[in-house]
Amino acid sequence: MPLTNAPKILRGAFIEYGLSIPPLFVVFQFNPIELTRNRTLTFGPQNSAAATQGQREAGEQAAGASGQAGCRTIREYHEHTEDLLEIRDGQRVRVQEETISFDIRLDATDKLNEGDPITATFGVLPQLATLELMVHPKADSLLGAAVDALLGLGDDAGFSSSKKPNPPMILFIWGHKRVLPVNINSMNITETEFSTLLDPTRATVSVSLTVIEGSNPFYTYSKIAKEVSSVLNLANITDIANVVIPG
C-alpha cells in the first residue's frame, strides 16, 4: 500500500519563455543526480592595459602611496602592498556569469509498460526533438511558419515567433528557489537503445548552460532566494569559535 504522506518530489524542467508554436518544454523524467556549477573570476591591477583611462587614473591614485602605479600584473600589484583592504578595493575583478552542466536521462521503459501509444510508436524521440529545437533559431521553425500563414499573420507579428534569428529563450527550473534564464552552450545526445523502427528508447543528453544574469526578474528572484539562504547560515555562527585565526 503506497504511503499517502510521502513527500512530492519536484522535477526539473526546461521551458521556453514566451508564446510560440510549437511550445517548447521538457519536464525531466529523472532529475539529474548531480549538477556542476562553475563561476570564473579574473583579477588584475586597476591600471592594467585593459582598464579605461578613468580606471587607470583611479588605480594609480590608490596605488601611489605603495609604489603600485607601474604594476602590470596582478601578482606585481599584490607584492607592492601589505594592506588586504587596500588590495580588495584596488584590484580589478571581473566576475563571469555562472555556468551549469548536467545529464538528462530519458527512458521509455515505464511508459511502454503502461501502454502509452505515443511512446510505443516513437520512444523518447518527442523529448529529444524538443530539446534539439531549443538550440535552433526560431526562424527555422517550419511548423511555426505554417501556423503564421494559416492565421494570416505578418512577418513581424507571427504568433509563433518563427521569424526570430536566435534560438528560443529557455528557463531552467530547478525547484522553488532557482528559476534561471539560460543560454544553452552545448548539447550532446547519446542514444543507447532503439525500437524496431530505430526510434531511440533510451538516451542521455549532456547539456552546458550559461545563466543570463542581470536585472531580469527570473535571475533577480533566484538571487534573492540565494541571499535569504545565506542569511539562514547565520544559525551556524557559533562554529567560528572552532576556527583558529592568527592574531
Side-chain angles (χ1 to χ4, degrees):
M1 180 178 178
L3 297 176
T4 58
N5 61 345
K8 181 180 179 180
I9 298 176
L10 298 178
R11 293 187 182 184
F14 283 153
I15 298 178
E16 179 182 5
Y17 176 70
L19 187 61
S20 68
I21 296 294
L24 300 179
F25 69 93
V26 172
V27 177
F28 301 158
Q29 182 181 2
F30 308 102
N31 282 332
I33 59 174
E34 65 178 19
L35 299 181
T36 300
R37 302 191 294 121
N38 179 71
R39 186 183 295 278
T40 301
L41 289 76
T42 57
F43 302 84
Q46 284 280 9
N47 57 330
S48 64
T52 63
Q53 181 63 31
Q55 291 172 318
R56 184 179 298 112
E57 292 174 356
E60 290 176 357
Q61 291 174 3
S66 302
Q68 304 161 19
C71 295
R72 292 172 295 176
T73 67
I74 190 64
R75 180 172 180 176
E76 290 176 345
Y77 179 76
H78 291 167
E79 288 176 346
H80 279 82
T81 182
E82 298 178 357
D83 189 335
L84 291 179
L85 294 180
E86 185 176 336
I87 291 176
R88 179 201 64 187
D89 297 335
Q91 64 186 359
R92 194 160 174 263
V93 185
R94 291 182 178 272
V95 183
Q96 306 300 322
E97 292 179 315
E98 182 181 41
T99 60
I100 303 174
S101 58
F102 54 89
D103 292 343
I104 302 170
R105 294 184 298 122
L106 301 173
D107 192 329
T109 303
D110 290 343
K111 287 193 174 183
L112 287 174
N113 291 336
E114 296 169 2
D116 180 74
I118 295 178
T119 304
T121 305
F122 299 103
V124 298
L125 191 60
Q127 297 97 309
L128 284 180
T130 301
L131 288 169
E132 291 181 80
L133 288 178
M134 291 179 177
V135 295
H136 279 277
K138 297 299 288 186
D140 294 346
S141 175
L142 301 178
L143 179 58
V147 171
D148 284 350
L150 182 64
L151 297 177
L153 299 175
D155 290 344
D156 297 326
F159 174 80
S160 67
S161 301
S162 62
K163 307 304 184 290
K164 303 298 182 183
N166 293 325
M169 179 61 60
I170 301 299
L171 299 178
F172 170 49
I173 300 177
W174 190 252
H176 295 303
K177 303 175 186 66
R178 284 183 275 189
V179 182
L180 300 168
V182 297
N183 285 322
I184 300 177
N185 304 324
S186 65
M187 179 180 295
N188 183 69
I189 300 174
T190 303
E191 301 175 1
T192 53
E193 293 188 21
F194 303 88
S195 68
T196 55
L197 298 177
L198 297 185
D199 289 321
T201 56
R202 285 186 177 177
T204 300
V205 183
S206 300
V207 295
S208 173
L209 317 171
T210 296
V211 178
I212 299 173
E213 301 180 356
S215 59
N216 68 79
F218 296 102
Y219 179 72
T220 299
Y221 164 82
S222 301
K223 188 175 182 181
I224 290 173
K226 180 180 294 186
E227 292 177 359
V228 170
S229 296
S230 177
V231 171
L232 296 176
N233 185 54
L234 292 175
N236 302 315
I237 196 169
T238 55
D239 292 345
I240 294 178
N242 298 321
V243 178
V244 176
I245 302 177

